[in-house]
Amino acid sequence: SSGINAEYGGSSVVVNRTVERFGRLDYLVLNQVAYPLGPFLAVKYMQDPAYVEKIFRVNLFSNIELALHALPHLESSLGHLFVTSSVFGDVPVSYSWALYCSSKHALNGFFYSLQQELLAKKSPVSLTVGNLGLIRTPDMEQLWKDEAIPVGLIAGTMERAAQGMLHSYITRPRTWTYPPGPNHFITALWNYFPWYHEVIVSNDGPGGYQAIVDRYRAKVDVTKLRRFSSGYNEGS
């Protein structure tokens, strides 16, 4: 769906087809994402303004467009909007995810502001911003297969993430965080302990900056293989 919704004209098509088929729209989950990897200054194509715009088109603009087209229908049904964001929208945990973190910061800024405006105008539509951390999807399993990331302690499961999204339609919280432990922990460190900023920057491990560059180049190769096996071409 990301490829459809990322084009501005596609958002109204998605919403209209849904309403035509089911007669109404009760719950919209915004979950499209582009996940660029690699230190920004070391990856030349990331510095192309057209590439930056492409990432923001998927991670930010398409979400805004889809929400705007859906809001009139959600108001009619007293519906709910769930925005899938990330703890990286609160904490830039690595310079290797600069475009991803910056797009998620922008996503949070817009939808928390929209949440306030909906409350101010007494709209019947409620909005939850999902503050998700690392979720063990098949793609993430491949990316982090050589690193010990324990499920339940640092990473969450797809099943629990999906259950939380569904449950949010009933409880309608302002924010939903999963997995809660590591997300709250790193957010508190970032906000209240300035030395943690230095920890993030200095946490390069053996080999320093160049080792990080090489490490993420290998991860980019893994994502290319995953995309090809899933039916995507090089230009997508």
Side-chain angles (χ1 to χ4, degrees):
S1 63
S2 298
I4 297 173
N5 295 341
E7 300 300 330
Y8 302 128
S11 299
S12 60
V13 173
V14 171
V15 172
N16 291 339
R17 285 181 179 176
T18 300
V19 175
E20 288 172 5
R21 180 171 181 180
F22 298 103
R24 57 188 289 160
L25 179 62
D26 295 296
Y27 189 22
L28 176 64
V29 176
L30 299 175
N31 194 36
Q32 58 265 28
V33 65
Y35 193 72
L37 292 171
F40 183 76
L41 296 179
V43 184
K44 292 300 182 183
Y45 67 80
M46 285 189 179
Q47 301 166 32
D48 183 344
Y51 183 83
V52 175
E53 195 275 338
K54 181 178 181 179
I55 298 303
F56 273 74
R57 189 171 75 242
V58 176
N59 288 1
L60 176 63
F61 303 144
S62 66
N63 288 284
I64 294 173
E65 288 291 313
L66 193 54
L68 288 176
H69 287 298
L71 274 174
H73 301 284
L74 293 172
E75 288 183 340
S76 298
S77 64
L78 310 183
H80 186 62
L81 179 63
F82 186 98
V83 182
T84 306
S85 189
S86 170
V87 66
F88 297 167
D90 294 327
V91 179
V93 295
S94 172
Y95 55 77
S96 297
W97 301 330
L99 290 181
Y100 179 78
C101 289
S102 58
S103 64
K104 289 297 184 178
H105 274 73
L107 187 74
N108 282 357
F110 178 83
F111 278 100
Y112 277 124
S113 297
L114 180 62
Q115 186 183 77
Q116 294 172 357
E117 186 170 1
L118 291 172
L119 290 169
K121 71 188 292 285
K122 302 187 186 307
S123 170
V125 179
S126 52
L127 190 159
T128 297
V129 176
N131 183 30
L132 300 185
L134 183 62
I135 306 298
R136 294 300 289 261
T137 64
D139 283 343
M140 291 299 103
E141 289 279 0
Q142 289 296 316
L143 282 175
W144 306 103
K145 64 182 179 179
D146 297 326
E147 303 175 38
I149 301 178
V151 174
L153 180 60
I154 296 178
T157 66
M158 291 190 298
E159 293 77 13
R160 289 291 299 276
Q163 289 171 4
M165 290 179 182
L166 291 173
H167 191 63
S168 292
Y169 178 73
I170 300 172
T171 59
R172 306 198 177 196
R174 305 273 193 266
T175 303
W176 179 69
T177 299
Y178 177 75
N183 287 12
H184 290 313
F185 181 67
I186 65 171
T187 301
L189 285 177
W190 179 262
N191 289 332
Y192 298 109
F193 299 96
W195 53 261
Y196 184 62
H197 299 211
E198 303 300 326
V199 171
I200 290 178
V201 172
S202 62
N203 191 28
D204 289 344
Y209 178 74
Q210 188 57 48
I212 294 293
V213 172
D214 295 339
R215 172 186 170 195
Y216 276 89
R217 280 177 178 160
K219 291 185 183 299
V220 169
D221 290 338
V222 170
T223 61
K224 286 181 178 179
L225 289 174
R226 291 286 302 174
R227 289 164 66 83
F228 180 77
S229 66
S230 300
Y232 293 92
N233 58 42
E234 285 291 325
S236 64

